[in-house]
Amino acid sequence: MPARPRELTPDRSARHLFGAKMRAYRERSDGMTLDALASVVKVSKSHLQRIEMAERMPPPHLPAMLDAAFGTDGIFQELYRLACKEVHPDQFRRRMELEATAQAIQEYSGQIVPGTVQTEDYARALFRTYNPRATSDEIEELVTARMARQSLLRADAAPDHSIILDEAVLRRPFGGAAVMRAQLSTLADLALMPTSIVQVLPFAHGGHAFVGGSLALLTLDNGTQVSWEESISTRTLIEDARSVRDHQRAYDRLRAYALSPKESATFIRSVMEAMPT
């Protein structure tokens, strides 16, 4: 006699509701088994089972495939967006909401690759470094959420995306040489894409206004701008127009001192070539 499925708790969170809806629609589809669903959506049976029980975040491609399989007109995609927001700290959710409507995103980072362009392995190594005691499931949940956040940059109407990276970002490896080489390759490719620009600020430039932190400037669909400052222990969303203008001027000065996108791509590849094999 098969074991009774574990009772679900859809009222606890969007992730729990996602899992409960997935089981409900699966069972309504002529009692479809997890094995059968796995063959349709290209996700393993064990992974699907854990998603139904809200033990794992769904991978980014799954919601659209579930909507197609069950004819649910975007329900799973809507639940997925809510579930992704739950993974992030409260103070970060407002930024994510604004980021989703931004027409242009300008970022500066002095220590690590920005989350918007991290590879999975780089993000995984970063999360592991931040929290060595985290379980594998906790790390994978964070990685999945980070990759989902990047989907806005691959959309048909992707925002213009500009990044200035301090040279230290390229020189400080996370995850070992192979992981870092793949991350640098991604950055070099992004340097000259139609909707993205990556520029490197060399050590030779010296000090500047953003040393010790990171900055994101978001130009929203109504033309207004906000900025997001981040340091080791603080995150601040700034909506005061004068303060945001000051940040924009400082960012423009920094961009003037950075290498051009073409020079930056060449510089990034030179760092890759110098890495140990």
Side-chain angles (χ1 to χ4, degrees), residues 13-22 43 47 51 56-67 72-88 93 96 120 140-152 154:
S13 69
R15 185 175 61 180
H16 284 75
L17 182 57
F18 187 105
K21 288 289 186 184
M22 191 173 98
V43 175
H47 197 168
I51 291 169
R56 289 289 293 272
M57 274 290 291
H61 76 277
L62 179 62
M65 297 193 76
L66 290 175
D67 282 326
T72 42
D73 193 29
I75 287 176
F76 286 99
Q77 293 173 77
E78 291 172 5
L79 285 173
Y80 180 69
R81 285 191 287 270
L82 290 174
C84 285
K85 290 180 181 179
E86 290 177 343
V87 175
H88 297 286
R93 293 180 192 171
M96 289 182 62
E120 283 194 35
E140 290 308 309
E141 182 173 308
L142 291 170
V143 171
T144 298
R146 178 144 297 178
M147 295 304 105
R149 180 183 161 212
Q150 294 179 5
S151 62
L152 70 93
R154 296 189 293 269

Side-chain angles (χ1 to χ4, degrees), residues 14 57 64 71 75 83 89 95 97 99 101 129 149 235 246 272:
M57 274 290 291
I75 287 176
R95 175 189 168 165
E97 291 169 356
E99 197 174 72
T101 67
T129 301
R149 180 183 161 212
R235 295 172 170 182
D246 289 343
M272 287 174 57

Side-chain angles (χ1 to χ4, degrees), residues 49-262:
Q49 188 172 41
R50 300 182 81 177
I51 291 169
E52 283 193 355
M53 294 187 294
E55 292 177 353
R56 289 289 293 272
M57 274 290 291
H61 76 277
L62 179 62
M65 297 193 76
L66 290 175
D67 282 326
F70 299 137
T72 42
D73 193 29
I75 287 176
F76 286 99
Q77 293 173 77
E78 291 172 5
L79 285 173
Y80 180 69
R81 285 191 287 270
L82 290 174
C84 285
K85 290 180 181 179
E86 290 177 343
V87 175
H88 297 286
D90 289 342
Q91 67 267 30
F92 195 64
R93 293 180 192 171
R94 175 63 175 159
R95 175 189 168 165
M96 289 182 62
E97 291 169 356
L98 295 172
E99 197 174 72
T101 67
Q103 300 298 300
I105 301 172
Q106 302 170 87
E107 297 188 272
Y108 163 76
S109 184
Q111 299 297 329
I112 61 173
V113 175
T116 49
V117 291
Q118 290 174 6
T119 64
E120 283 194 35
D121 287 336
Y122 182 96
R124 190 172 287 111
L126 191 64
F127 288 131
R128 176 61 65 193
T129 301
Y130 283 172
N131 186 3
R133 295 186 176 185
T135 66
S136 296
D137 283 351
E138 289 169 339
I139 295 294
E140 290 308 309
E141 182 173 308
L142 291 170
V143 171
T144 298
R146 178 144 297 178
M147 295 304 105
R149 180 183 161 212
Q150 294 179 5
S151 62
L152 70 93
L153 299 176
R154 296 189 293 269
D156 292 337
D160 293 324
H161 191 203
S162 302
I163 303 173
I164 301 173
L165 299 176
D166 194 282
E167 184 177 342
V169 174
L170 312 180
R171 303 286 186 187
R172 179 172 290 105
F174 282 88
V179 169
M180 197 64 194
R181 193 176 290 109
Q183 177 65 79
L184 293 177
S185 178
T186 295
L187 293 174
D189 290 342
L190 287 171
L192 297 166
M193 296 291 284
T195 60
S196 67
I197 293 173
V198 176
Q199 293 179 261
V200 175
L201 185 71
F203 286 143
H205 172 67
H208 57 83
F210 298 145
V211 167
S214 64
L215 177 78
L217 289 156
L218 309 178
T219 302
L220 308 181
D221 54 3
N222 61 3
T224 61
Q225 272 193 311
V226 300
S227 62
W228 173 268
E229 286 185 322
E230 196 165 332
S231 64
I232 293 175
S233 59
T234 62
R235 295 172 170 182
T236 307
L237 180 69
I238 299 170
E239 300 184 72
D240 174 68
R242 183 172 181 177
S243 298
V244 175
R245 282 197 302 271
D246 289 343
H247 279 151
Q248 182 65 68
R249 283 195 293 272
Y251 188 90
D252 290 341
R253 286 195 295 271
L254 203 61
R255 180 161 48 195
Y257 290 119
L259 300 178
S260 72
K262 185 175 181 180

